[in-house]
Amino acid sequence: MNIIIFGPPGAGKGTQAKHLVKKLNSFQVSTGDMLREEIKKDTEIGKKIINNMNDGKFVEDEIVNKLLEKIIFNPKKMSKLIFDGYPRTINQAKNLDALLRKSNQKIDCIIFLNVNKNSIVKRIEKRKLLEKRSDDNSDTILKRYDTYMEVTKPVLDYYSKKQNFHEVDGSAEIKHISQKIEEILKV
Ligand code: AMP
């Protein structure tokens, strides 16, 4: 199965994606992790994106789409992908559709973790202490949320019309969210 975990920053996409990876023996596709890795390794891409990431802005579609391409065409990972943080723009959603079509794959399920802004700010403040992510500070959190509402919300409208779209209350306990997702996926 290929699954998209969709939702605002701090909705718990990474946590649920990791759970599914274990449960389904599949692979997490976290563009955020991939981009942070580029910064850590101080690659050419890393140097280009560091300012945007620390400012809570999106990285250019072209860079993210390219990183994704390698994974989609990896035969070991085909139809075992859990997307976390991608797609975030309409351009990325269309790119994903095209790449999946080209590789004879499809999206089997879209899970939308719905969480309100107040809970998100509280959660990210907590995550900041645990994970020490450089893009987790109060200013950046609010900017990331605004960017989500402005740029990513249309992607939600795009997916919400599909038959395999499911909304889950992302403010519930982690365990309960996982259970709910398993019920939807029938796993
Ligand atoms: P995340 O770990 O998914 O919360 O992503 C952290 C940051 O990485 C975002 O605030 C963006 O700056 C960047 N990023 C991650 N995924 C994408 C994407 N699909 N498109 C553009 N920027 C992204």
Side-chain angles (χ1 to χ4, degrees), residues 36 126-136:
R36 278 186 288 278
K126 225 191 253 174
R127 181 171 76 185
K128 181 172 124 189
L129 300 173
L130 292 172
E131 293 181 18
K132 298 194 174 61
R133 265 175 55 165
S134 60
D135 59 343
D136 274 349

Side-chain angles (χ1 to χ4, degrees), residues 9-10 13 30-33 35-36 52-54 56-61 64 84-89 92 127 133 135 144:
K13 300 187 292 291
S30 162
T31 41
D33 283 351
L35 294 167
R36 278 186 288 278
N52 269 11
M53 282 201 51
N54 286 341
K57 291 183 194 147
F58 279 180
V59 170
E60 285 164 51
D61 283 340
V64 189
D84 148 27
Y86 187 98
R88 266 175 150 107
T89 64
Q92 291 179 11
R127 181 171 76 185
R133 265 175 55 165
D135 59 343
R144 275 167 46 208

Side-chain angles (χ1 to χ4, degrees), residues 69 72-73 78 94-106:
E69 217 169 303
I72 301 265
F73 289 98
M78 276 188 184
K94 291 194 170 152
N95 179 63
L96 180 60
D97 281 348
L99 290 177
L100 289 174
R101 216 176 305 121
K102 222 167 148 185
S103 58
N104 254 326
Q105 300 180 74
K106 61 179 170 45

